[in-house]
Amino acid sequence: MSAVRIVCVGDDSVGKSSLITSLVKDVFVTNKIQSVLPQITIPPSIGTPENVTTTIVDTSALPQERNTLRKEIRKSNVILLVYSDHYSYERVALFWMPYFRSLGVNVPVVLCANKSDLTTNGSTAQVVEDEMLPVMAEFKEIDSCIRTSAREHHNVNEVFFLCQKAVTHPIAPLFDSKEGNLKPAAVAALKRIFYLCDKDQDGFLNDQEMNDFQAKCFEKPLSPEDLDNIKLSISKSSPGSDVDKGIDQKGFIQLNKIFAEKGRHETIWIILRKFHYTDSLSLKDSFLHPKFEIPEYSSAELSPAGYRFFVDLFLLFDKDNDGGLNDSELDALFAPTPGLPPFWLETSFPSSTVRNEAGHITLQGWLAQWSMTTFVSPSTTLSYLAYLGFEPAGGPRLSTTSALKITKPRKRRRRTGRVERNVVLCYVVGAPSSGKSSLLDAFLNRPFDSLYRPTIKPRTAVNSVELQGGKQCYLILEELGELEPAILENQAKLDACDLICYTYDSSDPDSFSHIVSLREKYPQLDELPAIYTALKADQDKTTQRSETQPDEYTTTLNMSAPLHVSVTWNSISELFITLAEAATNPSSAFPKSEEEAPDRTGMYIALGATACALLAAGIIWKRTTNAN
């Protein structure tokens, strides 16, 4: 916040105007001053430790000025409520606090007992105990209290500093003074910060990690003496803490509780804001969802920095070094996030990607899953990069978008050449029971299951495929299930698709006709590259009940004949390479409505050369004849 608006409120003659004058003049003004001072603005450079522009508004308690008072209270960021004697003190609870509530304002209140120079008011400790604490207990809006004297210039600067701090570093979201504990939202935020600072994930912040934390938050080194004092404070408040290994999560939370108890909650806010927390202790929306626009016909992929981050994260949390993340390791990894991304739950993670024999996601599957997430929902990847603590190599000025890159648009699919994409999407369509689900299982190296289970909702599988020449790409296979008609009618879905794989059961005579009817019903499919695949080739081939047989049908389209494969064959991997090659080189997999015209370029060149030679011979003959 760059500006704080303070409204001074209280009964007449409690010293509101005197406090403001004493602040501005830096001395008590003995001459009579006007009852309501004009609004004053204090720039950040003058007596404002929080580096904010401060506006102070004086008000009158007279009934005829109530309209103006109401407007000023509603415009303010903080209310400075001043009283000076028993009558004005009683009015705090009986009139002023209920009045603020009736206006529906939700701003902190700083309670100020002015005229402390009058000996009849008692000692500060007595005033705090007898007057201030009971009111603060009744009205939680009261952020803090202070005793001042405009005449003696006692705590004048401090009272306005408290008003600033109540806005810039509010205590209410952090600490429950009644319970004497940090609030759950503050604890959750600090636990996430501890997680991000514990770089080796051993459960302790060692000396180096504490120094890095200090440099990040306060931009200055932490001296050995200061570190020892911090450990000593934690040990005294938590006798069971073992600070020799470092500061554990419990000790880190306890340290921040000590800050809150000592009125140093601005220290906690500095920490929270360095880690992008708002005043409501949620992460900033601009941090979770930075601006990232994808042009039409382009897609989003992880950049090398993004892949490196997810590789390091996997290796850090694979505690047993078995090459897979088990449930407890996944839980620990996603601890600073809201949990698994909703998109992952929708795609039945981890069954959507590569797992080891124990059922744990492998590094290959982990990177494939994030590649698919970035392709389908780049905003999800960006928010989780923020949750998990991705730090751009270029420093804090860069955002999480540096972990992503945008591919070149692939508007013209029929143009010869490869598209510059490392992640491609292939829809697998075909008749029920044609073997699509088994194909997806084989893609993820799962054993063949002969039991038929109809696919109701769309199912995806993602894995890496090595192309010719050694280049790797990520192929997403999606079986559409009962949503097949809705997806094939959706032009946006078709635009996102790189390839269609038409599948049929070569042993079922009624299987291929489904493909024929699909292409007739959705002529827009002709605009997509396609591969025809005959599945279950290990079984007896049968004649299809279709007007044309599959080989003839593809021949009329000037397409390659269907590939005959079986998920039980080791050679099934060659199909996935073919699909990835077709998706990255789409011009090679387009149906053509007619035969390409033969290339007669050579004939035209030859005829042209002959004509030139005859013309030259004719000119020479004519010249010779004329000479004779």
PDB file of all heavy atoms in Angstrom, residues 184 232 237 246 261 290 335 405 557 575 591:
ATOM      1  N   PRO A 184      -4.478 -19.651  12.182  1.00  0.00           N
ATOM      2  CA  PRO A 184      -4.224 -20.794  11.273  1.00  0.00           C
ATOM      3  C   PRO A 184      -3.735 -20.383   9.886  1.00  0.00           C
ATOM      4  O   PRO A 184      -2.838 -21.032   9.329  1.00  0.00           O
ATOM      5  CB  PRO A 184      -5.591 -21.483  11.193  1.00  0.00           C
ATOM      6  CG  PRO A 184      -6.261 -21.144  12.483  1.00  0.00           C
ATOM      7  CD  PRO A 184      -5.800 -19.758  12.825  1.00  0.00           C
ATOM      8  N   LEU A 232      18.718 -19.242  20.556  1.00  0.00           N
ATOM      9  CA  LEU A 232      18.545 -19.168  22.005  1.00  0.00           C
ATOM     10  C   LEU A 232      17.100 -18.832  22.360  1.00  0.00           C
ATOM     11  O   LEU A 232      16.515 -19.419  23.280  1.00  0.00           O
ATOM     12  CB  LEU A 232      19.495 -18.118  22.585  1.00  0.00           C
ATOM     13  CG  LEU A 232      19.509 -17.978  24.113  1.00  0.00           C
ATOM     14  CD1 LEU A 232      19.942 -19.298  24.762  1.00  0.00           C
ATOM     15  CD2 LEU A 232      20.437 -16.833  24.546  1.00  0.00           C
ATOM     16  N   SER A 237      11.792 -20.647  24.534  1.00  0.00           N
ATOM     17  CA  SER A 237      10.338 -20.716  24.415  1.00  0.00           C
ATOM     18  C   SER A 237       9.861 -22.137  24.114  1.00  0.00           C
ATOM     19  O   SER A 237       8.716 -22.478  24.409  1.00  0.00           O
ATOM     20  CB  SER A 237       9.839 -19.761  23.329  1.00  0.00           C
ATOM     21  OG  SER A 237      10.452 -20.051  22.092  1.00  0.00           O
ATOM     22  N   GLY A 246      19.696 -27.353  13.398  1.00  0.00           N
ATOM     23  CA  GLY A 246      19.117 -26.237  12.660  1.00  0.00           C
ATOM     24  C   GLY A 246      17.767 -25.894  13.259  1.00  0.00           C
ATOM     25  O   GLY A 246      17.407 -26.392  14.332  1.00  0.00           O
ATOM     26  N   GLU A 261       4.256 -11.499  19.515  1.00  0.00           N
ATOM     27  CA  GLU A 261       4.055 -11.185  20.933  1.00  0.00           C
ATOM     28  C   GLU A 261       4.795  -9.920  21.348  1.00  0.00           C
ATOM     29  O   GLU A 261       4.344  -9.175  22.222  1.00  0.00           O
ATOM     30  CB  GLU A 261       4.518 -12.364  21.795  1.00  0.00           C
ATOM     31  CG  GLU A 261       3.617 -13.577  21.703  1.00  0.00           C
ATOM     32  CD  GLU A 261       4.198 -14.804  22.377  1.00  0.00           C
ATOM     33  OE1 GLU A 261       5.440 -14.874  22.548  1.00  0.00           O
ATOM     34  OE2 GLU A 261       3.423 -15.702  22.725  1.00  0.00           O
ATOM     35  N   PRO A 290       0.157 -15.072 -13.720  1.00  0.00           N
ATOM     36  CA  PRO A 290       0.764 -13.965 -14.478  1.00  0.00           C
ATOM     37  C   PRO A 290       0.209 -13.913 -15.899  1.00  0.00           C
ATOM     38  O   PRO A 290      -0.326 -14.903 -16.415  1.00  0.00           O
ATOM     39  CB  PRO A 290       2.259 -14.318 -14.480  1.00  0.00           C
ATOM     40  CG  PRO A 290       2.290 -15.808 -14.336  1.00  0.00           C
ATOM     41  CD  PRO A 290       1.115 -16.161 -13.465  1.00  0.00           C
ATOM     42  N   ALA A 335       2.953 -30.518  -0.606  1.00  0.00           N
ATOM     43  CA  ALA A 335       2.555 -29.916   0.677  1.00  0.00           C
ATOM     44  C   ALA A 335       2.287 -28.404   0.580  1.00  0.00           C
ATOM     45  O   ALA A 335       1.340 -27.911   1.198  1.00  0.00           O
ATOM     46  CB  ALA A 335       3.615 -30.202   1.743  1.00  0.00           C
ATOM     47  N   LYS A 405       7.340 -21.763 -22.685  1.00  0.00           N
ATOM     48  CA  LYS A 405       7.618 -21.143 -23.980  1.00  0.00           C
ATOM     49  C   LYS A 405       6.421 -21.358 -24.900  1.00  0.00           C
ATOM     50  O   LYS A 405       5.606 -22.267 -24.683  1.00  0.00           O
ATOM     51  CB  LYS A 405       8.886 -21.729 -24.609  1.00  0.00           C
ATOM     52  CG  LYS A 405       8.777 -23.190 -25.009  1.00  0.00           C
ATOM     53  CD  LYS A 405      10.043 -23.678 -25.695  1.00  0.00           C
ATOM     54  CE  LYS A 405       9.896 -25.123 -26.180  1.00  0.00           C
ATOM     55  NZ  LYS A 405      11.087 -25.590 -26.900  1.00  0.00           N
ATOM     56  N   LEU A 557      -8.597 -42.484 -50.902  1.00  0.00           N
ATOM     57  CA  LEU A 557      -8.207 -41.204 -50.279  1.00  0.00           C
ATOM     58  C   LEU A 557      -6.752 -40.853 -50.557  1.00  0.00           C
ATOM     59  O   LEU A 557      -6.255 -39.830 -50.098  1.00  0.00           O
ATOM     60  CB  LEU A 557      -8.408 -41.274 -48.757  1.00  0.00           C
ATOM     61  CG  LEU A 557      -9.842 -41.446 -48.253  1.00  0.00           C
ATOM     62  CD1 LEU A 557      -9.846 -41.643 -46.740  1.00  0.00           C
ATOM     63  CD2 LEU A 557     -10.681 -40.238 -48.621  1.00  0.00           C
ATOM     64  N   LEU A 575       4.158 -48.168 -33.812  1.00  0.00           N
ATOM     65  CA  LEU A 575       2.945 -47.395 -34.107  1.00  0.00           C
ATOM     66  C   LEU A 575       3.008 -46.025 -33.446  1.00  0.00           C
ATOM     67  O   LEU A 575       2.659 -45.012 -34.052  1.00  0.00           O
ATOM     68  CB  LEU A 575       1.704 -48.159 -33.625  1.00  0.00           C
ATOM     69  CG  LEU A 575       0.394 -47.355 -33.664  1.00  0.00           C
ATOM     70  CD1 LEU A 575       0.029 -46.983 -35.093  1.00  0.00           C
ATOM     71  CD2 LEU A 575      -0.739 -48.121 -32.992  1.00  0.00           C
ATOM     72  N   PRO A 591      -5.496 -36.709 -45.820  1.00  0.00           N
ATOM     73  CA  PRO A 591      -6.281 -37.332 -46.900  1.00  0.00           C
ATOM     74  C   PRO A 591      -6.374 -36.375 -48.085  1.00  0.00           C
ATOM     75  O   PRO A 591      -6.530 -35.170 -47.897  1.00  0.00           O
ATOM     76  CB  PRO A 591      -7.657 -37.546 -46.262  1.00  0.00           C
ATOM     77  CG  PRO A 591      -7.722 -36.562 -45.157  1.00  0.00           C
ATOM     78  CD  PRO A 591      -6.315 -36.362 -44.670  1.00  0.00           C
TER      79      PRO A 591
END
